[in-house]
Amino acid sequence: MLRDTVWFARQVEVLGYRRFWVAEHHSVPGIAGSAPTVLAAGVAAATSTIRVGTGGVMLPNHRPLVVAEQFGVLESLYPGRIDMGLGRSLGFTNGVRRALGRDDAGDFRAQVKELLGYFAGDQQAHQGVHAWPAEGLSVPAFILATGEGAEIAAELGLPVVVGGPKAVDAATRYWERAEQPYVVVSANIAVAESTEEAYRLLIPEAWSMAYSRLHGVFPPLRSTEDILSPDMTARERDMLEKSLRGQIYGTEEEVAKAVQDLVERSGADEILVTMSTFDRGQMLDSYRRLAGVIRPDRPAAPAPGRGPRPAATVR
């Protein structure tokens, strides 16, 4: 799975995607997310042009000093190619939270300020503690908007990443408060030869999400054929349908229209594509078709707030 992630990053780099982000999840089978900064290093080493980052590192699970040092190392090894996505979510279950030693998210605003201070070299605030080699380096930071995340991003002058059914509302709150707004909208997007084929691509991940909500365990992805068996209960089918709501799927023409509508409603500067499915070949084909929709021949992604908008983002 880890090698598959690195391989996939190389494929989407060739397709012209601008960023490749990895997430942080603990005790979740089927997701390569236990050590995002380590995995990001492996991805950056195997690629040459695509920006690499996290979507995101969960600050409540780590000390800001350690996070600053990790991203300082990444930026030093791969200058100009590293993004620092930051979130505030805790572990998926009570057992994971206990293992991480975290009962609550703490003061996320203060955690972000402390982290950024290490890059800025704010010694007075950090009592003379230096974060080498982060100090003096410029690593773009993005805030994953959960809860009050959009307001925190606007207050600190940082780009925001929003997703889910309330993405447009979160983006609106951010636009109302940010002086130099930069919005990344996360969306599950599947593209195939037909609408039905694209819809079926979304089912494996949607089912794992639905199952986790019913049973408290996020299982590995299963094939669509296996999931849509007669054994599915009415409650499971209802939860699956809820998990699929709001996702974008269809042919190239259908998806192009839906993505354009999302950009117009949210004011997105970038779209973060998060689709995963059971069949890796079908997943890559979807991203290949999507690359044609979003015209990947644009210039490389600039730093947030500078230059032309990049075509898209891939996680």
Side-chain angles (χ1 to χ4, degrees):
M1 180 171 58
L2 294 170
R3 290 188 176 92
D4 285 345
T5 299
V6 174
W7 172 85
F8 190 70
R10 297 177 68 178
Q11 305 310 307
V12 296
E13 180 180 54
V14 172
L15 291 175
Y17 286 89
R18 310 307 184 213
R19 308 184 197 269
F20 190 93
W21 287 2
V22 294
E24 178 178 345
H25 296 281
H26 299 281
S27 191
V28 179
I31 296 181
S34 58
T37 54
V38 178
L39 182 56
V43 170
T47 54
S48 58
T49 59
I50 196 168
R51 294 189 65 92
V52 179
T54 56
V57 164
M58 298 298 120
L59 269 187
N61 298 338
H62 313 277
R63 295 303 307 165
L65 171 64
V66 175
V67 176
E69 291 170 336
Q70 291 173 343
F71 279 94
V73 170
L74 286 170
E75 176 64 20
S76 298
L77 291 173
Y78 310 103
R81 294 183 55 209
I82 301 301
D83 296 325
M84 184 169 58
L86 306 169
R88 59 177 299 180
S89 297
L90 297 174
F92 179 65
T93 65
N94 290 333
V96 170
R97 290 192 287 272
R98 285 194 296 270
L100 291 170
R102 294 292 181 267
D103 294 323
D104 60 72
D107 189 339
F108 183 64
R109 180 184 284 101
Q111 293 163 357
V112 175
K113 285 183 176 180
E114 180 181 348
L115 172 60
L116 298 179
Y118 285 119
F119 284 93
D122 187 354
Q123 297 309 304
Q124 183 174 359
H126 298 139
Q127 301 178 343
V129 176
H130 297 264
W132 304 122
E135 190 169 310
L137 296 180
S138 178
V139 178
F142 298 74
I143 299 297
L144 277 64
T146 57
E148 61 178 344
E151 288 81 0
I152 293 175
E155 175 190 326
L156 299 180
L158 298 175
V160 71
V161 183
V162 296
K166 298 182 179 180
V168 174
D169 291 340
T172 300
R173 292 198 305 273
Y174 172 77
W175 277 99
E176 291 172 347
R177 294 167 172 79
E179 292 185 6
Q180 293 183 304
Y182 194 92
V183 176
V184 181
V185 174
S186 172
N188 280 9
I189 304 176
V191 193
E193 187 172 348
S194 70
T195 306
E196 176 63 23
E197 288 178 53
Y199 177 78
R200 290 174 67 86
L201 290 178
L202 295 172
I203 289 175
E205 188 171 37
W207 165 246
S208 289
M209 182 63 69
Y211 188 93
S212 71
R213 290 169 177 164
L214 289 170
H215 305 284
V217 177
F218 195 103
L221 301 186
R222 298 161 53 192
S223 70
T224 298
E225 292 73 18
D226 186 24
I227 292 168
L228 298 179
S229 67
D231 296 333
M232 185 183 297
T233 67
R235 185 183 180 199
E236 289 173 339
R237 192 174 299 277
D238 178 66
M239 189 64 73
L240 172 61
E241 292 175 356
K242 288 180 179 179
S243 295
L244 286 164
R245 290 175 187 169
Q247 302 193 30
I248 296 174
Y249 61 90
T251 63
E252 284 94 329
E253 182 179 355
E254 291 170 333
V255 166
K257 182 178 180 180
V259 169
Q260 182 61 36
D261 177 69
L262 177 61
V263 169
E264 291 176 356
R265 288 187 294 112
S266 64
D269 292 277
E270 299 187 43
I271 299 296
L272 172 67
V273 186
T274 62
M275 195 278 287
S276 184
T277 194
F278 179 77
D279 187 300
R280 296 299 178 183
Q282 291 179 337
M283 184 172 75
L284 181 58
D285 181 67
S286 176
Y287 278 92
R288 184 182 294 110
R289 291 174 183 272
L290 181 60
V293 169
I294 59 176
R295 300 186 304 278
D297 54 343
R298 296 185 184 183
R306 302 176 185 174
R309 288 183 176 182
T313 298
V314 61
R315 185 177 103 187

